[in-house]
Each structure stands twice: as C-alpha cells, then as structure tokens.
Amino acid sequence: MDKRAGAMGPGVEGFAPWTELDDHLFYTCDVVHDLVGGRLPGRTPLPTMTRLEPGELSLASGPAARATWRAVGNGSYRHSSSFAFGSTSFVVGSMAADAIGNASRRNQAAANAQPRWVGDGHGEVTVTDRRAHFAHPQNWLNLNWSGLDTVDLVAPDVFQCAFHESGGAGYLTIRLHSLWASLIFVLAAHSAFPAHPRLLSGGWLPPGFEAKCAAVGRVCPPVR
C-alpha cells in the first residue's frame, strides 16, 4: 500500500488520477481476498494503540470523524416578556421587539428539534477482524460487528451503521468518515450481514476500479 499521505498518482487516459483513497481501496481488496480465502489469520498485525482481545487481528488505522443523526434541542425555548413604561410608542416598540425575539427563539428551537447529522469530533479509527474502534475523549465508539443492527456504505469514505448503545444513549445511527470506510463495511458485512445487497453485488467498490488498477500497473485481487 502506498503510504504517502495525500499522494496522487499520474493520470491515465480514460481514468481519474490515482489517489490516496484508491490506495486504501486496493489494500481493502487484498484484505478481502485473504478473508474469503481463509488466509486472514496469517496476515501480519498492523501497529495500533487500541487494546486488543486475545486473537484479535489489527488490520488498519487512520484518522476519522464521527457524526450522529440526532436533534440538538428538544423544541423548548425561553419566552421573554418585558414590562415597559413610558410613551405609547416606546411601549409598543418594546412589545414588538419581544414578539420578534420570541418568534426567532421559537423558530430556532423548532429547527433544533429536527434530527440532522451532527459532527461529534475527529479521532483515530482502528479496524480489526472483529470491530472498528473510534478513539475520542468523549464520543468514542466500539463497533463490534455482532452488535450492529444495520450497516451501509453511503460513499467510498463514509460508513454508516445503527445499533443499541449499551451505555444508555438509546438507539443510535452514526457515520464514520474515513478512508477506511470501505474496509469497515466489507468486514462487518462479511461477518454479520452476508446477504447485504452491496456486498453480494460488489457495489462496495467503485465501478471500474479493477480496470483503473490495471491501467496504473497494479493487479487487483478478484473480490467480486
């Protein structure tokens, strides 16, 4: 795997230039080829600071960002009502200002009650044969494949999943933005979602990826 951060190779006619994401996808294909061939336990563990269970194999690590599908408020807001003394025009103006301010706060509270993707910070993700561990001081994740209810790859660098959080946070839907998103998805799908349409179709790889590899002189192992 090309270790150069942000490396972009020369363009080949008919193909976009080779990128760092392509390096990660190529490595992922190599891992998947070993996985389906039963050779994964023979791979050399990659260095990681994450605590591993006995027999757990570290396969990759790198920067990632977490986002959670949630609201940032509950719809409540502070209603302001002031008492003004003075001329009629001053009192009317104060009341109008209160009304405008309350309407603004009400609208903002309603908007905050709508779920959206909320960024939860940047950290380091470690991918093993059993899970993906996202290290973060407050919003860490330990995504064991067996504990996930849904998985998907919404972009080559965005892994999405849903699960019941054991710490009492309820049912969560999260995204990890990482160049290792495809590796995370395919390992989780092979382990716990073997009938996932994107896995069965090979759609976790971008169309024409094998041809792009061949165009730059790389032999992509057959994985779909």
Side-chain angles (χ1 to χ4, degrees), residues 103-125:
S104 177
R105 285 187 289 273
R106 181 173 62 250
N107 292 337
Q108 185 61 55
N112 289 343
Q114 300 302 310
R116 83 285 302 270
W117 289 110
V118 179
D120 293 317
H122 292 75
E124 182 88 359
V125 64

Side-chain angles (χ1 to χ4, degrees), residues 153-189:
L153 189 68
V154 297
D157 59 349
V158 181
F159 172 75
Q160 180 174 311
C161 66
F163 55 93
H164 291 274
E165 205 278 320
S166 60
Y171 194 73
L172 298 180
T173 300
I174 66 96
R175 284 180 174 177
L176 281 182
H177 295 251
S178 168
L179 293 177
W180 291 121
S182 293
L183 177 62
I184 296 171
F185 167 79
V186 76
L187 289 173

Side-chain angles (χ1 to χ4, degrees), residues 184-209:
I184 296 171
F185 167 79
V186 76
L187 289 173
H190 266 281
S191 175
F193 304 86
H196 196 292
R198 198 178 298 275
L199 178 67
L200 295 179
S201 68
W204 58 272
L205 266 182
F209 181 73

Side-chain angles (χ1 to χ4, degrees), residues 66 68 70 119-121 134-142 176:
R66 170 184 167 167
T68 304
R70 61 183 175 88
D120 293 317
F134 175 68
H136 188 275
Q138 290 84 34
N139 298 312
W140 60 274
L141 287 169
N142 196 40
L176 281 182

